[in-house]
Amino acid sequence: MKIEKQYIIQAVTIAANNLRLSSEKIEVVSLFKKHLNNCEDIENEISRMKKITELSKLAVKLGRLIEYIKSDHIDFLRLTETFKEQSHTLTIELSNMLDFVTPAKFKEITNKLSEQEIPVQLKQNVQREEALDKIQEKVEVGENSISNKEEKSKITKEQLDQIERKKQEFLFEDLDKEEEFDFENYEKTILAPVKKLEDLLKRFPQKEFLEEEVDDFMEKMLFNSKFSYKVGFDIIGKMHKIIASALLAIKNDEIASSEDTAEGIRACLIVIVAVVRGKEVDISNYLKKAEKFSKIVLKEN
């Protein structure tokens, strides 16, 4: 992934993390980041977004970030500080966009963007040239030894069909691997283990649990952590990572299954549920408790 794309997507992630979002808004953020990640030319895509009413103001801000990261005069000593400042400037416009754009509306917008005419100059598009070269290589299977029209006429229908199949295989390869993000399915996956894990936490002080239970929840938390990071929900991903690390530490007798440990894990669960369900409640105390607990189980400074 190009540095410009990474810079923009991470800035959007930081800006979103500064907002208290409902589940619907979280889904829009995820769709937005996925759209940015999938576009071949992010600078051109942002320019096109400026023509879309709902995205125009946010796109202007993103355009300034692109100009900065592509500049020849970047102060690398202040890069982290500048990134934080620029991410913060996105917060207001991102919030305004999320107030008016639903997941369904965002899909309409991306469809509108895809319908816009984009002039393609193959000589300037390296990725497109490489793709065409790859097709050509596959098409030329069985043809390399043919040097003139008379010899080409000897190609059988079976060979031609094989060439066409190879061409189609290349054009359609990996399409089945890219599935549209389904927030409803994500929410169910994340929330499914919560109640049972809460029941386990109640039994921690008395040590009334089996090692197999700990293993089972640890596996689920690791999966949900990776799942959350993959779709851009960093806070939820980290909370699951803390829980998984805590369960591993308990299994290895590195920390006790005490009331304090149960409270640390419970704080992480509360943050997860509040963020996923978009509950309008103050969870700052639970976030602080979860961060404090993470320093113990993740050995953070």
Side-chain angles (χ1 to χ4, degrees), residues 274-290:
V275 174
V276 171
R277 288 184 170 174
K279 295 293 185 181
E280 296 294 331
V281 294
D282 183 5
I283 59 170
S284 56
N285 287 336
Y286 294 108
L287 273 170
K288 290 177 182 177
K289 186 179 291 187

Side-chain angles (χ1 to χ4, degrees), residues 93-104:
E93 296 304 337
L94 179 62
S95 178
N96 290 339
M97 185 270 281
L98 294 173
D99 285 340
F100 296 98
V101 178
T102 63

Side-chain angles (χ1 to χ4, degrees), residues 214-264:
V214 175
D215 286 338
D216 182 54
F217 280 113
M218 183 168 60
E219 184 177 333
K220 289 177 181 176
M221 294 299 107
L222 284 172
F223 175 84
N224 287 351
S225 177
K226 293 177 181 177
F227 189 9
S228 298
Y229 277 121
K230 183 178 179 181
V231 296
F233 299 158
D234 293 354
I235 292 177
I236 301 175
K238 183 173 183 180
M239 292 300 111
H240 281 94
K241 181 180 178 182
I242 295 170
I243 295 173
S245 299
L247 294 175
L248 178 62
I250 291 170
K251 179 182 176 180
N252 294 337
D253 295 323
E254 294 173 1
I255 61 174
S257 57
S258 61
E259 184 65 37
D260 287 341
T261 300
E263 283 300 311

Side-chain angles (χ1 to χ4, degrees), residues 35 45 48 109-118:
H35 178 71
E45 189 68 8
R48 294 164 65 213
I109 291 171
T110 53
N111 288 337
K112 188 187 299 183
L113 285 168
S114 65
E115 289 171 1
Q116 291 181 9
E117 282 191 23
I118 308 173

Side-chain angles (χ1 to χ4, degrees), residues 129-144:
E129 284 186 337
E130 290 176 349
L132 290 173
D133 289 341
K134 190 174 181 183
I135 292 176
Q136 187 62 30
E137 288 174 6
K138 291 179 179 254
V139 170
E140 288 174 354
V141 172
E143 292 187 322
N144 291 333

Side-chain angles (χ1 to χ4, degrees), residues 112-284:
K112 188 187 299 183
L113 285 168
S114 65
E115 289 171 1
Q116 291 181 9
E117 282 191 23
I118 308 173
V120 178
Q121 297 189 18
L122 297 179
K123 292 183 179 179
Q124 296 177 2
N125 191 326
V126 177
Q127 290 184 330
R128 180 64 175 169
E129 284 186 337
E130 290 176 349
L132 290 173
D133 289 341
K134 190 174 181 183
I135 292 176
Q136 187 62 30
E137 288 174 6
K138 291 179 179 254
V139 170
E140 288 174 354
V141 172
E143 292 187 322
N144 291 333
S145 61
I146 300 173
S147 59
N148 55 54
K149 292 182 180 179
E150 184 179 352
E151 289 177 317
K152 285 183 180 179
S153 65
K154 296 178 182 178
I155 299 178
T156 65
K157 184 178 183 302
E158 184 178 351
Q159 288 175 313
L160 288 172
D161 289 343
Q162 183 180 10
I163 291 169
E164 286 302 312
R165 280 197 302 273
K166 288 182 179 294
K167 198 189 303 183
Q168 291 177 26
E169 286 171 6
F170 169 71
L171 291 171
F172 291 103
E173 66 184 357
D174 296 333
L175 282 182
D176 58 337
K177 295 180 182 178
E178 193 65 37
E179 297 180 358
E180 185 175 353
F181 175 68
D182 183 347
F183 184 80
E184 184 178 351
N185 179 57
Y186 171 79
E187 183 176 353
K188 289 178 181 178
T189 301
I190 295 300
L191 296 180
V194 171
K195 190 176 185 305
K196 291 183 179 178
L197 181 53
E198 170 62 23
D199 291 338
L200 175 64
L201 296 180
K202 292 176 182 177
R203 293 183 272 125
F204 263 20
Q206 295 77 33
K207 302 190 185 318
E208 296 175 352
F209 57 87
L210 301 174
E211 185 175 319
E212 289 78 4
E213 289 182 278
V214 175
D215 286 338
D216 182 54
F217 280 113
M218 183 168 60
E219 184 177 333
K220 289 177 181 176
M221 294 299 107
L222 284 172
F223 175 84
N224 287 351
S225 177
K226 293 177 181 177
F227 189 9
S228 298
Y229 277 121
K230 183 178 179 181
V231 296
F233 299 158
D234 293 354
I235 292 177
I236 301 175
K238 183 173 183 180
M239 292 300 111
H240 281 94
K241 181 180 178 182
I242 295 170
I243 295 173
S245 299
L247 294 175
L248 178 62
I250 291 170
K251 179 182 176 180
N252 294 337
D253 295 323
E254 294 173 1
I255 61 174
S257 57
S258 61
E259 184 65 37
D260 287 341
T261 300
E263 283 300 311
I265 295 176
R266 189 172 288 113
C268 296
L269 286 177
I270 290 171
V271 172
I272 290 168
V273 173
V275 174
V276 171
R277 288 184 170 174
K279 295 293 185 181
E280 296 294 331
V281 294
D282 183 5
I283 59 170
S284 56

